């Protein structure tokens, strides 16, 4: 993909955020996450809050894709790292989901936090990961234990 070819259509693509079809909303997330690489005009800043709010989508999988795409955005916009950390630590964003669904979000978020912990220690992230050791989802609890083990080494 050559994001620069699609940048001219930013506004039209942004309209997909409220589309009734969740697949269109997923496309919205994915496309904008990839357009961030060429967002010299910082158009993302104007829609950032609405974009981040998509975590609370009526469809859990769309919310989960939003988390993955927000992680992608963080690689292009390190200035947003602290805001993204705060967003991911805010459990109220996930309140409409079941515990099992929340565990799926936590699994993905832990991967992001682990990459941050590779270059700086942050007790908030470690506390989040520690709390996931007791998740109902075995993959999530296992990942939390593995990350904590690597942090201890």
């Amino acid at each position: 993909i050559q994001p620069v070819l699609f940048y001219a259509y930013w506004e039209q693509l942004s309209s997909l955020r409220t589309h009734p079809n969740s697949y269109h909303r997923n496309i919205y997330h994915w496309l904008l996450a990839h357009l961030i690489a060429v967002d010299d005009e910082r158009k993302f800043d104007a829609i950032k809050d609405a974009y981040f709010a998509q975590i609370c989508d009526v469809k859990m999988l769309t919310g989960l894709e939003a988390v993955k795409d927000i992680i992608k955005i963080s690689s292009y916009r390190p200035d947003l790292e602290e805001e993204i950390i705060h967003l991911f630590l805010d459990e109220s964003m996930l309140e409409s989901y079941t515990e099992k669904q929340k565990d799926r979000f936590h699994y993905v978020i832990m991967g992001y936090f682990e990459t941050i912990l590779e270059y700086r220690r942050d007790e908030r992230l470690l506390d989040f990961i520690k709390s996931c050791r007791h998740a109902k989802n075995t993959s999530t609890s296992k990942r939390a234990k593995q990350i904590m083990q690597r942090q201890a080494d």
Side-chain angles (χ1 to χ4, degrees):
I1 184 172
Q2 294 180 325
V4 72
L5 299 175
F6 298 92
Y7 193 64
Y9 304 100
W10 182 281
E11 281 73 25
Q12 288 106 323
L13 296 172
S14 293
S15 71
L16 293 174
R17 179 181 68 81
T18 58
H19 198 281
N21 186 309
S22 65
Y23 293 109
H24 289 82
R25 295 191 305 275
N26 285 346
I27 291 167
Y28 155 80
H29 286 239
W30 186 86
L31 284 171
L32 284 161
H34 285 82
L35 287 177
I36 294 296
V38 296
D39 186 19
D40 297 331
E41 298 173 33
R42 298 278 221 198
K43 292 181 179 184
F44 180 74
D45 291 351
I47 63 161
K48 177 182 58 170
D49 292 339
Y51 188 95
F52 288 173
Q54 292 294 115
I55 292 173
C56 305
D57 195 89
V58 66
K59 299 278 188 173
M60 187 276 298
L61 290 176
T62 300
L64 190 58
E65 288 305 312
V67 167
K68 293 175 184 176
D69 290 332
I70 290 167
I71 292 169
K72 176 86 172 157
I73 287 169
S74 73
S75 67
Y76 295 115
R77 292 283 306 271
D79 60 301
L80 295 176
E81 181 178 280
E82 190 57 38
E83 188 172 351
I84 292 170
I85 289 171
H86 181 67
L87 176 73
F88 287 170
L89 290 174
D90 182 3
E91 287 292 313
S92 69
M93 293 292 285
L94 306 177
E95 68 186 8
S96 65
Y97 300 120
T98 67
E99 289 304 312
K100 189 175 181 181
Q101 291 170 332
K102 289 176 186 178
D103 284 348
R104 292 183 68 184
F105 281 88
H106 293 160
Y107 183 90
V108 173
I109 291 168
M110 281 190 297
Y112 173 64
F113 285 172
E114 185 176 28
T115 62
I116 294 171
L117 289 168
E118 289 174 4
Y119 61 86
R120 72 177 171 106
R121 184 169 181 84
D122 188 319
E123 292 301 322
R124 298 170 303 165
L125 310 185
L126 291 169
D127 288 344
F128 177 87
I129 294 167
K130 284 177 194 172
S131 72
C132 292
R133 291 181 301 181
H134 307 292
K136 292 178 182 177
N137 180 295
T138 56
S139 296
T140 302
S141 62
K142 181 179 178 181
R143 185 174 205 177
K145 291 171 187 171
Q146 290 170 338
I147 293 171
M148 292 310 298
Q149 182 61 44
R150 285 191 291 272
Q151 289 298 309
D153 293 340

